[in-house]
Amino acid sequence: MLRYRICQVRPGRLILSDIPRVGVLPPYRTVVVSSSQRAAMKDLTQPLASGYKPSEVEQGWYSWWESRGFFRRRGAQEKFVMVLPPPNITGTLHLGHALTCAVQDAIARWHQMRGHEVVWVPGCDHAGIATQVVVERYLWATEGSTRHQLGRERFVNEIWKWKEEKGTLIYDQMKRLGTSLDWDKAVFTMDAHMSEAVTEAFIQLYDSGLVYRKNALVNWCCSLQSAVSDIEVEHLHLTGPTELTIPGYDKPVTFGKMYDFAYKISGSDEELVVCTTRPETMLGDTAVMVHPEDKRYIHLHGRHIIHPFRKDIIPVITDSQVDPQFGTGVVKVTPGHSQDDYSVGQRHNLPQLTVFDEQGRVMDVVPEFKNFPRFKARQAVLEALSDLGLYRGCRAHPMMVPRCSRTQDVIEPLLKPQWFINCKNMAVEAVNSVRKGNLHIHPESYTRVWYEWLENINDWCVSRQLWWGHRIPAYCVQSDSEEFWVAARSIEDAKSKVAEKEGISELSITSVRQDEDVLDTWFSSALFPFAVFGWPEKSEALQSYYPTTLMETGHDILFFWVARMVMLGTHLTSELPFKAVLLHGLLCDAHGHKMSKSRGNVIDPIDVIQGASLEVLNNRVKSSEKSGILSGQEVSEAIKGQTSNFPNGIPDCGADALRFTLCSYNFKNKLLSVDINRMEQSKFLGNKIWQTVRFLLSALEKVENGTQCASHVHSSCRADLGMMDKWILSHMSRLICGSNQCFEAYDLHLVTTGFVTFWYNHLCDVYLESIKSVLKQESDVAKLLALQTLWTCVDVGLHAISPFMPFLTEELYQRLPRNGHKFESIMQCDYPQPQQWLCWRDQMVEDRVQSLLQVAAAFRALKTTYNITHYRVQGSVVSSDKDLTTVLRENLRVIKSLGRILSVTIIDGPAAPPATSAVAILSDSTAVYLHLEGVIDPKKELIRLRKKLGKLLKEESKMVKIVSSPGYEEKSPAHVQEAHLSRLASLRTELEQLQSLICSLEKM
């Protein structure tokens, strides 16, 4: 029976978890219980504030949404199901998690607004290695204790305490981001039912012959004293001798060297010189090899050499793997400490000697070196070889150093008994699922990589020598003198299975012990899409929501997670776990650098939401040193990086701006350079939306019967609408059509781009400006129609952007008056659909208004050229295009408003230009003139322009001197030369325009 305790209390929520049982990994269950007390709706009695303040707008909405159940529409025919990739409990969310949440929440909200039943399951991952490392460092930094001093039981309980704190913190951060997750389905990968799923999956795989145990080379981290997966190994490229700090060593260790030493031929004075980057491993050499066609060594085929320390003889073998051109063409073979040599040893049946133990100390293969740490043994071996006259020197050599991403220790290949999963047949099914079109990968470019990896897959080592994780459900059963390994649910089950399989009596079994190792974290993660719904039980949730619809995650774990979910999901459930895979890129800083704590460029999403000063950022890094997370040197580098990246701290932008910005990147690219300035620009967009609604609310109050306009424009009113009304409605139709198409294609950046273009360029810059004069001077009918058109665009626009900016759109939706039915929340509303607004598409109107905008833009440009800031200026348009002149005469008010001029005259061409005018040629048939007489003082303007001309001539002269200097092309980088030439071309264009302007003024 499970027992529970309260681990966190929040308004409207209780998180309960069972009390761990001492001595074993506890069956842990996270349960979210809804409080009977409903969160009150936010008080909106005060008028809309003069400016947009995200901290005030975003307050109060989430708890209300959650308590009212607005995240879900139940009973819909179509379902959309996702699981959120569970973040590790090793800390707080970073910007990569925020990207995942923003993208998935936008997609989920769009589907919900389309009337689908959306199920989106949150969770946290126990992250075996990462969590154990972090907690070990924390305990050492705060208590001076190691896990070995505490013992397994106490140490595991300390990790559970860590999980209690961090797990709820992560969920709180997700809520700050506005994620509309199904909290009642929240899962932790060490929950009781997840443990049951892991046990069942392992046993099923074992029983079907896919799981086996054998001695094999693994990536061993001596600091962790555990094997680590390939994804946890970083390969450091060295171009030559480099000193690296290695855990457990007082002094740095030098890498990037090639060492030469000789082996003596048995019964001969000849020798073979080998070269190696790891001379310490020669203690375990069991052969040397040459290429079978290398003529230098043909006479030595089948001979033996004398090992100088072990005093035994080892063979000279031939293998085509040897490159005769590399070094001396002779290669030492150490099957126990090199993956390549292990394969050679298998082919030639060579002994496999283990030189180092789990701590990285020399074992008793050569007693005189016993207990030497491996890199101190290096120097000792070289000295001993030198004393024997066998050392031939060293030289610089480029190399790749494999390091544990968690500890930065150098990986040691070690032979260990491990559990493996045979993935060959499952990989074939995974490949075919994509080839047959049953599984779709976005972007499609990853399908080729998918095929290449799965078609060359190796068996999966799932053993980890850790204390934190799912203990492997495998038992060693001893009967008399025999030993059997079996996967089972318990000791009794193990006895029964062995007795039945081996045909022995259970009474003959003398002992049973469970494997001490735990399973690779990716194993439990691979079960996530179906285990969260109750598998292996055929629960109602599993039958309703599995398989899921979409798996969205980072492309860097396509194989370590996605492929394994597909393989295990297909094998264990006979169904693909999802229908489509959507991959996003990795986040970099604004300079394209990978984000890391030690670089000081990591961005906490909460800092973007609420802001953080540079002092706060620096203090947080310093606290990481106290907790043992970062070293003193890393802290120093991080503070330097923070000062460079965020000299003024991080401005408060709000969750909506953060979400919108992250979705505005083309996240399908491999790398995404994230700039805080773009997030601030998204906050300014929020303010633009806010001010538009303020303008609308004010206009509705000022215009008589204005509140009657609070409904969508009906197509029956088309004949009464002005051209600008039709124009903005046509563009709104395009927005809705494009948004839905891009949501379908997961091109969220095009949805956000389309919205910005519509709201900024069309609605605010053009339409709002064009109707200001209507609201002041036109008839009541024209005013009401303009207001109704504006209300329609604002209302539809808020719905269109709601998946990205849920807080802002909820606030404004609530404040927007509405005639007719109003839903309790914008989350209950439908997403605007193309068929609703297709009737407003009008290409002819768009083309005509485009002509008006070109004319208005020409007037504004001429005013800027002559430094005219006021509206008291007149203009003329001379055109022989009759269709254009007709449109212009019908819309003089629009031209005046958008051109920011007092009056405009339309003249049929050809005709003489007005006297004392500046001109802009739009086409062969049309010219725009700005009347300057009485508007500017030519003499004063000439003085200003000649002064500016002088400055530009000096700058041009300086630039010419730079690019003409001796040796410039040889010494200056290409990008610098390109920048200089570009600036020079720009200066000359500006000078040409300025000189032309001066000439025209001199004639006035």
Side-chain angles (χ1 to χ4, degrees):
M1 178 180 292
L2 295 177
R3 294 178 293 163
Y4 300 90
R5 67 174 177 225
I6 298 176
C7 65
Q8 179 93 8
V9 180
R10 301 192 197 91
R13 285 316 222 194
L14 295 177
I15 301 276
L16 302 181
S17 58
D18 69 290
I19 301 172
R21 297 177 296 181
V22 176
V24 296
L25 291 179
Y28 189 91
R29 177 68 173 175
T30 301
V31 181
V32 182
V33 182
S34 297
S35 170
S36 58
Q37 182 181 357
R38 280 186 175 180
M41 181 178 168
K42 188 174 181 179
D43 181 10
L44 300 176
T45 56
Q46 296 299 315
L48 196 64
S50 59
Y52 170 55
K53 296 180 180 178
S55 59
E56 294 180 6
V57 170
E58 293 173 4
Q59 189 175 12
W61 287 120
Y62 196 93
S63 57
W64 182 67
W65 289 333
E66 194 177 6
S67 69
R68 298 290 293 127
F70 291 145
F71 289 160
R72 296 296 164 257
R73 294 188 186 185
R74 304 296 180 187
Q77 288 186 345
E78 189 169 342
K79 293 183 176 70
F80 178 81
V81 185
M82 280 191 303
V83 295
L84 180 73
N88 296 346
I89 58 165
T90 49
T92 55
L93 296 185
H94 53 65
L95 211 57
H97 295 122
L99 172 66
T100 300
C101 288
V103 169
Q104 291 194 13
D105 195 44
I107 294 171
R109 287 175 180 269
W110 177 68
H111 275 282
Q112 167 148 318
M113 293 180 76
R114 293 180 67 199
H116 302 161
E117 181 181 355
V118 175
V119 176
W120 186 23
V121 182
C124 276
D125 195 287
H126 66 279
I129 290 176
T131 303
Q132 181 161 313
V133 169
V134 168
V135 176
E136 278 193 88
R137 287 178 179 174
Y138 173 77
L139 290 173
W140 177 253
T142 56
E143 300 177 10
S145 301
T146 68
R147 65 182 168 107
H148 297 286
Q149 290 171 332
L150 292 176
R152 184 165 187 162
E153 294 172 10
R154 285 184 59 195
F155 179 70
V156 167
N157 283 337
E158 288 295 328
I159 299 182
W160 278 109
K161 291 178 186 177
W162 176 275
K163 183 269 171 190
E164 294 281 356
E165 177 187 347
K166 297 301 180 183
T168 52
L169 257 177
I170 288 169
Y171 286 164
D172 282 339
Q173 286 183 299
M174 290 180 182
K175 293 187 177 188
R176 288 289 300 274
L177 286 166
T179 50
S180 55
L181 288 151
D182 283 289
W183 294 111
D184 59 337
K185 293 181 173 64
V187 171
F188 178 51
T189 53
M190 291 281 284
D191 278 350
H193 73 284
M194 289 297 293
S195 294
E196 292 169 8
V198 166
T199 298
E200 180 65 25
F202 188 87
I203 291 173
Q204 283 193 26
L205 291 166
Y206 178 86
D207 290 345
S208 61
L210 295 178
V211 168
Y212 62 93
R213 190 174 189 265
K214 73 168 185 176
N215 270 355
L217 274 185
V218 296
N219 301 316
W220 188 265
C221 175
C222 297
S223 292
L224 286 175
Q225 294 182 38
S226 174
V228 296
S229 64
D230 291 341
I231 197 174
E232 288 149 337
V233 177
E234 296 175 346
H235 295 275
L236 179 65
H237 177 64
L238 304 180
T239 57
T242 306
E243 290 188 340
L244 299 178
T245 300
I246 307 298
Y249 289 81
D250 298 331
K251 297 179 180 179
V253 178
T254 301
F255 293 84
K257 285 186 175 182
M258 183 70 79
Y259 302 87
D260 299 331
F261 69 91
Y263 274 117
K264 293 291 184 180
I265 302 294
S266 177
S268 168
D269 292 334
E270 287 187 80
E271 66 179 25
L272 285 175
V273 177
V274 299
C275 49
T276 178
T277 58
R278 298 201 60 195
E280 65 275 14
T281 63
M282 66 83 62
L283 300 175
D285 284 359
T286 55
V288 294
M289 61 179 177
V290 296
H291 195 279
E293 299 177 4
D294 192 333
K295 296 179 180 179
R296 293 172 295 176
Y297 306 115
I298 288 178
H299 68 291
L300 296 177
H301 289 185
R303 297 287 297 274
H304 290 78
I305 59 173
I306 302 170
H307 195 285
F309 302 125
R310 300 200 311 263
K311 304 303 182 183
D312 57 356
I313 60 171
I314 57 179
V316 178
I317 62 174
T318 61
D319 198 291
S320 57
Q321 178 178 308
V322 178
D323 179 3
Q325 305 303 316
F326 182 77
T328 61
V330 185
V331 179
K332 61 189 285 296
V333 183
T334 320
H337 290 278
S338 163
Q339 193 63 55
D340 289 338
D341 291 2
Y342 178 79
S343 300
V344 172
Q346 294 286 92
R347 289 197 297 273
H348 295 272
N349 198 28
L350 297 175
Q352 301 166 345
L353 299 182
T354 299
V355 178
F356 309 112
D357 63 15
E358 294 178 351
Q359 286 78 38
R361 297 173 303 200
V362 177
M363 298 176 71
D364 58 0
V365 285
V366 178
E368 64 185 280
F369 298 105
K370 186 177 180 180
N371 290 329
F372 270 72
R374 54 187 170 150
F375 298 121
K376 289 184 178 180
R378 174 178 298 179
Q379 188 60 36
V381 167
L382 291 173
E383 290 174 1
L385 287 169
S386 183
D387 292 342
L388 294 172
L390 299 175
Y391 182 50
R392 299 292 180 263
C394 68
R395 59 190 182 278
H397 181 71
M399 64 180 295
M400 300 291 286
V401 179
R403 306 182 78 181
C404 174
S405 62
R406 308 297 179 183
T407 65
Q408 296 305 299
D409 199 356
V410 175
I411 292 296
E412 184 63 53
L414 273 190
L415 275 169
K416 303 288 292 182
Q418 303 284 300
W419 290 97
F420 290 83
I421 298 177
N422 183 335
C423 299
K424 298 293 183 185
N425 291 336
M426 292 190 291
V428 169
E429 289 191 54
V431 166
N432 290 337
S433 66
V434 174
R435 282 215 167 100
K436 293 176 180 178
N438 298 323
L439 177 65
H440 300 278
I441 299 177
H442 308 277
E444 287 188 11
S445 56
Y446 284 101
T447 57
R448 179 179 57 82
V449 189
W450 176 269
Y451 298 147
E452 287 177 0
W453 190 81
L454 287 170
E455 287 169 352
N456 297 282
I457 196 169
N458 295 317
D459 287 355
W460 176 13
C461 175
V462 292
S463 302
R464 296 293 178 268
Q465 290 66 45
L466 302 172
W467 289 356
W468 174 242
H470 294 281
R471 194 165 167 184
I472 297 176
Y475 295 82
C476 178
V477 180
Q478 288 189 320
S479 171
D480 299 329
S481 61
E482 290 188 275
E483 181 179 280
F484 308 99
W485 279 95
V486 64
R489 293 170 180 80
S490 64
I491 289 176
E492 293 304 318
D493 187 33
K495 288 181 180 180
S496 174
K497 291 180 83 169
V498 168
E500 182 180 348
K501 181 180 178 181
E502 303 298 332
I504 62 175
S505 169
E506 288 191 33
L507 296 175
S508 66
I509 294 174
T510 57
S511 68
V512 181
R513 62 178 174 83
Q514 186 177 356
D515 197 318
E516 292 288 329
D517 293 350
V518 301
L519 285 163
D520 180 7
T521 301
W522 293 107
F523 184 84
S524 55
S525 297
L527 312 179
F528 202 74
F530 46 97
V532 296
F533 296 119
W535 187 91
E537 298 296 327
K538 294 182 179 179
S539 65
E540 183 181 344
L542 185 68
Q543 293 173 348
S544 297
Y545 304 128
Y546 184 81
T548 63
T549 311
L550 176 70
M551 168 50 63
E552 192 280 334
T553 189
H555 72 73
D556 56 320
I557 54 175
L558 174 61
F559 308 116
F560 296 103
W561 191 37
V562 178
R564 287 166 175 171
M565 283 189 285
V566 170
M567 289 191 294
L568 293 192
T570 304
H571 181 80
L572 295 170
T573 71
S574 301
E575 290 186 276
L576 285 167
F578 28 75
K579 301 179 180 76
V581 176
L582 175 61
L583 302 170
H584 65 246
L586 300 181
L587 295 182
C588 302
D589 64 16
H591 310 291
H593 299 139
K594 182 181 178 181
M595 289 189 176
S596 68
K597 290 179 181 177
S598 58
R599 196 186 285 271
N601 59 357
V602 169
I603 301 173
D604 186 329
I606 301 302
D607 288 340
V608 178
I609 292 172
Q610 62 190 26
S613 65
L614 180 59
E615 182 182 5
V616 167
L617 297 175
N618 289 167
N619 289 339
R620 190 181 299 149
V621 169
K622 292 174 184 175
S623 69
S624 294
E625 181 181 10
K626 295 177 182 177
S627 301
I629 307 298
L630 295 177
S631 66
Q633 182 181 351
E634 288 174 326
V635 167
S636 177
E637 292 175 0
I639 289 176
K640 184 179 178 181
Q642 285 180 336
T643 305
S644 172
N645 290 307
F646 316 113
N648 301 313
I650 297 175
D652 61 318
C653 299
D656 280 339
L658 171 62
R659 293 163 56 104
F660 187 88
T661 305
L662 292 173
C663 290
S664 70
Y665 291 97
N666 184 358
F667 57 78
K668 294 179 185 177
N669 291 336
K670 286 190 175 181
L671 296 176
L672 311 175
S673 294
V674 177
D675 190 348
I676 286 293
N677 293 327
R678 277 187 67 167
M679 296 182 186
E680 202 166 16
Q681 291 299 316
S682 295
K683 176 184 174 182
F684 297 153
L685 170 65
N687 187 60
K688 193 74 170 180
I689 296 170
W690 187 271
Q691 298 302 338
T692 305
V693 174
R694 280 191 73 222
F695 175 88
L696 173 58
L697 294 177
S698 174
L700 290 173
E701 289 181 1
K702 291 177 181 177
V703 173
E704 188 175 354
N705 298 320
T707 55
Q708 295 179 4
C709 303
S711 61
H712 289 161
V713 177
H714 195 272
S715 57
S716 60
C717 300
R718 176 185 294 275
D720 300 320
L721 296 176
M723 187 160 69
M724 296 308 295
D725 302 327
K726 297 174 185 176
W727 174 81
I728 194 63
L729 290 170
S730 183
H731 276 289
M732 186 191 73
S733 173
R734 290 188 182 279
L735 169 69
I736 299 309
C737 184
S739 295
N740 280 281
Q741 286 177 350
C742 293
F743 261 119
E744 289 278 5
Y746 304 120
D747 290 326
L748 304 194
H749 65 295
L750 298 181
V751 182
T752 58
T753 300
F755 180 82
V756 170
T757 299
F758 173 77
W759 201 278
Y760 265 122
N761 301 350
H762 298 147
L763 186 63
C764 294
D765 289 354
V766 176
Y767 185 71
L768 263 182
E769 293 300 318
S770 73
I771 65 170
K772 286 180 179 177
S773 59
V774 173
L775 298 178
K776 289 179 181 178
Q777 303 167 2
E778 296 294 328
S779 66
D780 291 343
V781 172
K783 291 178 183 178
L784 293 175
L785 286 171
L787 278 180
Q788 190 171 11
T789 302
L790 178 59
W791 187 95
T792 300
C793 291
V794 167
D795 181 65
V796 172
L798 291 178
H799 286 73
I801 204 62
S802 183
F804 303 99
M805 292 184 154
F807 295 106
L808 175 62
T809 53
E810 183 70 79
E811 178 98 9
L812 296 179
Y813 173 82
Q814 297 292 347
R815 291 180 177 275
L816 204 62
R818 183 179 303 271
N819 294 329
H821 176 70
K822 183 173 185 176
F823 286 101
E824 194 175 352
S825 167
I826 196 172
M827 294 187 69
Q828 297 174 294
C829 300
D830 291 334
Y831 197 83
Q833 292 300 301
Q835 58 269 25
Q836 293 175 267
W837 304 101
L838 200 58
C839 62
W840 292 107
R841 187 75 57 83
D842 194 326
Q843 187 62 52
M844 182 182 294
V845 166
E846 289 184 26
D847 292 342
R848 287 178 175 177
V849 173
Q850 186 59 33
S851 300
L852 298 180
L853 298 182
Q854 288 177 345
V855 170
F859 280 126
R860 293 197 304 274
L862 289 170
K863 287 181 64 181
T864 300
T865 300
Y866 288 93
N867 199 30
I868 302 170
T869 57
H870 58 78
Y871 280 59
R872 299 183 304 277
V873 60
Q874 297 178 335
S876 300
V877 180
V878 177
S879 178
S880 57
D881 185 335
K882 293 184 178 180
D883 291 335
L884 177 61
T885 56
T886 300
V887 172
L888 295 177
R889 287 191 177 102
E890 291 174 352
N891 294 277
L892 294 177
R893 174 186 55 77
V894 176
I895 298 172
K896 289 189 293 181
S897 295
L898 300 180
R900 296 167 191 163
I901 57 177
L902 183 62
S903 66
V904 61
T905 303
I906 310 300
I907 303 171
D908 293 324
T916 322
S917 297
V919 63
I921 306 299
L922 297 187
S923 67
D924 294 341
S925 61
T926 306
V928 173
Y929 297 90
L930 188 70
H931 304 180
L932 299 177
E933 187 174 0
V935 177
I936 64 169
D937 184 335
K939 292 181 179 179
K940 287 183 179 180
E941 192 64 17
L942 279 169
I943 292 172
R944 183 182 73 83
L945 294 177
R946 284 167 180 160
K947 187 176 180 181
K948 183 177 180 181
L949 178 66
K951 287 183 179 180
L952 290 177
L953 286 170
K954 284 183 180 179
E955 188 176 352
E956 181 203 27
S957 176
K958 182 180 178 181
M959 191 61 65
V960 169
K961 188 176 180 181
I962 290 173
V963 300
S964 304
S965 61
Y968 170 79
E969 292 186 3
E970 293 78 14
K971 296 177 182 177
S972 300
H975 71 278
V976 172
Q977 294 187 43
E978 185 179 345
H980 285 164
L981 292 174
S982 176
R983 177 57 184 156
L984 187 59
S986 175
L987 280 170
R988 286 172 173 168
T989 299
E990 193 173 356
L991 281 168
E992 185 178 339
Q993 293 173 345
L994 197 58
Q995 287 165 340
S996 174
L997 191 57
I998 289 171
C999 286
S1000 64
L1001 283 173
E1002 286 174 342
K1003 295 176 183 178
M1004 290 178 63

